[in-house]
Amino acid sequence: MKIRVGFGFDVHKLVEGRELWLGGIRIDHVMGLLGHSDADVLIHAICDAMLGAANMRDIGYHFPDTSADTLNIDSKILLRKTNGLISAKGYRIGNIDATVCAERPKINPHVPAMKACLADILQTDEDNISIKATTTEKLGFTGREEGISAYATVLIEKG
């Protein structure tokens, strides 16, 4: 069996007038993330990690923010397509370890729903997906609630 590991990172600005989507679910909050798509930082970080592990460049290469095809797209679609890309090379998800960094809203109450959503899209067991939450103790852009970031490490397997 061949295994590979990839790392992904994403950040988006918080703004009024947008819905907040994280891990494929909508979270009630006074602000949402600004982006060409629905700006789901968690899914974007996971996609980058998957693509990196498979040596397939990054999410912007496959789904550019200059394309009308990806304007306002649901990031769950991008994750499904990314899974298809790595599957075409013979890989499947081994496990995902991800962290969302936000002051508000609190992420932990939403983790079970995120895991269920991601596991369904990736056709893997929820036990293969770890989602953690942290803050920056009110430091930096995250601490000032100007944006949310996410980090992901993904192990993929072949054979």
Side-chain angles (χ1 to χ4, degrees):
M1 177 184 303
K2 182 175 184 177
I3 63 170
R4 298 180 71 147
V5 176
F7 175 76
F9 169 77
D10 195 36
V11 62
H12 282 277
K13 181 179 180 176
L14 279 165
V15 296
E16 293 181 0
R18 293 265 304 192
E19 293 180 343
L20 179 59
W21 288 87
L22 289 173
I25 67 164
R26 185 178 178 280
I27 297 175
D28 285 330
H29 191 54
V30 295
M31 293 190 284
L33 294 168
L34 181 63
H36 184 74
S37 66
D38 64 8
D40 187 325
V41 293
L42 179 55
I43 286 182
H44 295 180
I46 291 169
C47 287
D48 262 349
M50 291 168 66
L51 291 165
N55 193 22
M56 297 181 76
R57 301 189 61 172
D58 59 44
I59 191 172
Y61 176 80
H62 293 277
F63 313 109
D65 66 3
T66 54
S67 170
D69 292 338
T70 56
L71 181 62
N72 298 318
I73 195 168
D74 182 334
S75 291
K76 292 187 290 292
I77 295 168
L78 302 180
L79 183 60
R80 191 171 286 108
K81 288 182 177 189
T82 299
N83 200 40
L85 289 169
I86 71 162
S87 292
K89 284 188 80 171
Y91 290 103
R92 70 176 197 277
I93 293 292
N95 75 296
I96 297 169
D97 184 24
T99 302
V100 177
C101 188
E103 291 295 324
R104 289 186 312 128
K106 292 298 183 194
I107 304 303
N108 280 323
H110 306 285
V111 168
M114 289 181 198
K115 287 177 62 168
C117 178
L118 298 174
D120 181 58
I121 294 165
L122 296 170
Q123 298 296 290
T124 191
D125 192 279
E126 286 183 41
D127 192 52
N128 293 332
I129 301 172
S130 169
I131 300 171
K132 303 175 306 293
T134 192
T135 70
T136 57
E137 301 294 329
K138 307 226 183 276
L139 297 173
F141 74 86
T142 304
R144 292 186 299 269
E145 298 184 40
E146 295 171 3
I148 294 177
S149 60
Y151 305 82
T153 302
V154 173
L155 180 131
I156 59 174
E157 305 168 325
K158 181 188 270 189

